[in-house]
Amino acid sequence: MTSHTLQQLFKTYKEKQLHHRYIFSKHILPLLKKHTSHFEIEVIGQSVLKESIYAIKMGSGKTKIFMWSQMHGNESTTTKAIFDMLNVFAEFDDASIKTILNQCTIAIIPMLNPDGAKAYTRLNANQMDLNRDAQDLTQPESLVLRQYFDAFQPHFCFNLHGQRTIFSAGNTNNSATVSFLAPAQDAECTITKTRKKAMEIIVEMNKNLQKQIPNQVGIYDDAFNLNCVGDTFQSLNVPTVLFEAGHFVNDYEREQVRGYIFQSILLAIHFIASAQISGNGYKTYFKIPQNEKLFYDIVIRNAKIQAEIKDIAIQYQEILKDEQIEFVPKIEKIGNLNAFFGHKEIDAKGKKVTHPNFEPLEEGNEIVFVWIDDDNIELIMKKN
């Protein structure tokens, strides 16, 4: 599949019923109903609060691909991309899609943590991080995932997540718009045959993304933690790829990034269906830069604060209000921030910067604007 084809498919089949950041069961249930005539859809378990957890299955091939989204309830970009992709499989009559469906059987859990999705939180209703419960399996959602994995016996896994705006692609001022990882499967982070296969898939996805967002793809930290699902499945010798939907310029609703994730998932599936994944093509994986935490949402440079010149870092807090996500600016750090970047940068040029009440600024302040001398500078994000 070419980059042009993938871009056109996204434009044509993007699911219009899903948009912005707040996605929970209410939003996907009508879409599951719509797709009952196209795919096998079943309830495979319940959450802590007795919300149904669904699995979608398609294809009849021998190679089994298993993916899950919204393990963390506030990471919804990959869920949107899944439903975009489902529209392609349901409606696009093409040889490449037929190849996938003939060669592969694909199982998808579109929303593993429906309670967390509704509350817009990383955790489940028991305040547990499901991605730290892969060994103890204390939570019903963790059991649902593991039991389905054991029953399905996949050959490849896609672990679909979202990451904060703080990440850069390496030690650069390029945002990590999409990140990947072939998780470690032992404490030594050995480059095993299983990991090489996952790396080879990432290499293929990166080739496509570099044509569209050059130098904006990163590799996530591969420190081994067997309590994480990806590490656990990799340790069971199932090639597992972590997807992280990150930040693109001014794309706080993650609609642009949604397209890159859609392309990456579909390309990875097609690559598995049409090529022999041996792991031999893994080496250029190591040319993808490691993620660094070098970004703030806003940096005000050269601000005069109590007779000193300092920089001010502001990070948006994502707040759920009336089924909408509001981005509330909060001062994260004041000091010398020469080693950091802002998605938006403001140069105060040595002028006095003060709180809306003309008080000194402090770390932890939630503010919608600042005064730069007598100028009112808005920090709140303007709605599209």
Side-chain angles (χ1 to χ4, degrees):
M1 285 187 169
T2 67
S3 294
H4 176 74
T5 297
L6 291 164
Q7 290 173 60
Q8 288 302 119
L9 286 173
F10 177 66
K11 289 178 183 178
T12 304
Y13 294 103
K14 180 179 177 180
E15 178 49 68
K16 296 179 175 59
Q17 298 304 311
L18 297 180
H19 51 85
H20 304 308
R21 295 287 284 275
Y22 187 49
I23 306 294
F24 69 104
S25 294
K26 181 179 82 171
H27 301 108
I28 71 167
L29 287 175
L31 303 177
L32 292 172
K33 184 177 180 180
K34 178 183 81 169
H35 284 304
T36 53
S37 60
H38 304 122
F39 313 119
E40 179 185 326
I41 299 175
E42 62 175 329
V43 175
I44 58 171
Q46 291 185 318
S47 68
V48 172
L49 300 180
K50 307 304 180 185
E51 289 277 352
S52 294
I53 299 172
Y54 293 87
I56 305 162
K57 191 184 289 185
M58 68 184 81
S60 57
K62 293 187 296 184
T63 303
K64 298 178 182 178
I65 303 170
F66 180 37
M67 67 185 80
W68 58 95
S69 185
Q70 272 182 285
M71 167 177 281
H72 296 141
N74 59 355
E75 298 175 2
S76 60
T77 307
T78 52
T79 302
K80 294 186 289 187
I82 280 172
F83 282 95
D84 301 333
M85 185 183 70
L86 290 177
N87 287 341
V88 173
F89 280 105
E91 301 172 28
F92 186 49
D93 186 14
D94 178 79
S96 60
I97 298 301
K98 291 177 181 176
T99 296
I100 291 171
L101 295 175
N102 289 332
Q103 296 296 321
C104 299
T105 300
I106 303 167
I108 305 168
I109 300 176
M111 186 176 290
L112 181 64
N113 182 5
D115 300 340
K118 189 170 185 179
Y120 198 72
T121 178
R122 177 184 177 90
L123 309 176
N124 77 344
N126 285 334
Q127 302 305 299
M128 286 286 294
D129 186 337
L130 300 179
N131 205 27
R132 299 296 181 272
D133 192 38
Q135 291 298 307
D136 294 337
L137 300 174
T138 64
Q139 301 304 301
E141 300 92 344
S142 303
L143 284 167
V144 167
L145 179 66
R146 183 54 189 265
Q147 289 168 357
Y148 198 92
F149 171 89
D150 289 342
F152 186 59
Q153 298 185 329
H155 299 99
F156 297 92
C157 286
F158 296 171
N159 188 8
L160 308 178
H161 286 265
Q163 66 184 21
R164 292 174 291 165
T165 60
I166 63 174
F167 290 101
S168 61
N171 189 17
T172 70
N173 65 346
N174 297 315
S175 178
T177 298
V178 177
S179 297
F180 299 112
L181 177 67
Q185 65 183 101
D186 57 30
E188 294 73 32
C189 299
T190 307
I191 309 303
T192 62
K193 183 177 180 180
T194 300
R195 290 190 76 193
K196 286 179 181 179
K197 290 181 179 181
M199 290 173 183
E200 187 173 341
I201 294 167
I202 291 169
V203 166
E204 193 70 15
M205 293 187 290
N206 183 54
K207 289 177 188 175
N208 173 60
L209 292 175
Q210 289 302 327
K211 297 172 185 176
Q212 301 171 64
I213 46 171
N215 305 313
Q216 292 180 60
V217 178
I219 293 296
Y220 213 73
D221 177 23
D222 73 344
F224 180 67
N225 184 346
L226 197 57
N227 295 312
C228 296
V229 172
D231 301 54
T232 290
F233 290 173
Q234 198 89 282
S235 72
L236 296 172
N237 292 315
V238 178
T240 299
V241 177
L242 172 71
F243 293 67
E244 293 278 357
H247 183 70
F248 185 80
V249 61
N250 296 325
D251 183 34
Y252 282 89
E253 300 293 359
R254 301 277 168 97
E255 291 297 309
Q256 184 85 13
V257 176
R258 167 187 188 169
Y260 300 133
I261 294 294
F262 162 87
Q263 291 184 46
S264 298
I265 295 173
L266 188 54
L267 181 63
I269 293 171
H270 186 258
F271 183 54
I272 291 169
S274 57
Q276 192 71 33
I277 310 297
S278 64
N280 292 336
Y282 79 98
K283 290 185 179 179
T284 53
Y285 172 88
F286 295 102
K287 294 184 179 181
I288 305 172
Q290 297 280 324
N291 278 352
E292 302 284 348
K293 297 177 181 178
L294 298 183
F295 269 96
Y296 293 100
D297 290 311
I298 303 172
V299 175
I300 303 175
R301 304 281 184 191
N302 306 310
K304 187 177 182 182
I305 301 175
Q306 297 179 330
E308 293 186 75
I309 301 299
K310 299 181 178 180
D311 302 324
I312 304 166
I314 294 159
Q315 202 69 23
Y316 289 125
Q317 312 300 300
E318 297 170 23
I319 307 298
L320 175 61
K321 185 177 179 180
D322 299 326
E323 295 197 359
Q324 296 288 330
I325 303 304
E326 295 186 357
F327 296 90
V328 178
K330 179 181 178 181
I331 295 178
E332 195 75 19
K333 193 171 182 63
I334 298 175
N336 182 340
L337 301 175
N338 287 340
F340 297 87
F341 309 101
H343 292 298
K344 178 180 179 181
E345 299 219 358
I346 300 167
D347 188 355
K349 299 179 180 178
K351 297 177 182 178
K352 184 167 68 173
V353 180
T354 54
H355 190 278
N357 297 330
F358 295 99
E359 300 168 354
L361 294 170
E362 295 180 357
E363 292 179 5
N365 286 158
E366 290 187 359
I367 49 177
V368 297
F369 73 91
V370 294
W371 294 104
I372 299 183
D373 278 356
D374 296 327
D375 292 330
N376 180 321
I377 306 299
E378 287 192 8
L379 303 175
I380 199 79
M381 190 185 302
K382 293 181 180 179
K383 294 183 179 180
N384 294 333

